[in-house]
Amino acid sequence: MTIMFTDIRSFASISEKMTYQQVFDFVNSYYEQVSPIIRTFKGFIVKYMGDGIMAVSRTARMMRFKPRLPNSDASRNTMGTG
């Protein structure tokens, strides 16, 4: 079984420069990209935790991916899991 925790690296400092709506859209974009990947590995999301996710899967391998957010430059796209 795999337990995966994810969050957006440097989220606090990134979100301080955004409006509330931009933060909402940013986090939702992240969730929209990560959730299908978790399901691909036959996993399911246990909990949403602010900018993070706790998910479990019966597969033994870890998932590595770097979602790309729309309208984000490379310096702000600092997400990854492992």
Side-chain angles (χ1 to χ4, degrees):
M1 175 173 277
T2 299
I3 301 171
M4 181 179 83
F5 293 92
T6 70
D7 71 339
I8 301 172
R9 194 175 302 131
S10 302
F11 179 73
S13 61
I14 292 169
S15 64
E16 288 172 353
K17 300 171 186 136
M18 298 177 165
T19 66
Y20 294 118
Q21 186 63 49
Q22 289 172 322
V23 171
F24 183 80
D25 293 341
F26 183 77
V27 172
N28 278 336
S29 177
Y30 170 68
Y31 289 159
E32 287 172 1
Q33 292 183 57
V34 173
S35 299
I37 296 169
I38 291 169
R39 287 191 293 276
T40 297
F41 286 88
K42 308 233 186 290
F44 66 93
I45 295 170
V46 175
K47 187 187 301 190
Y48 292 98
M49 305 172 294
D51 66 314
I53 295 174
M54 176 184 172
V56 296
S57 174
R58 287 194 229 176
T59 62
R61 66 184 188 183
M62 290 298 274
M63 298 167 258
R64 280 193 171 267
F65 57 94
K66 278 203 168 220
R68 289 186 182 186
L69 293 176
N71 303 320
S72 66
D73 59 35
S75 64
R76 286 184 42 206
N77 191 4
T78 57
M79 293 182 292
T81 64

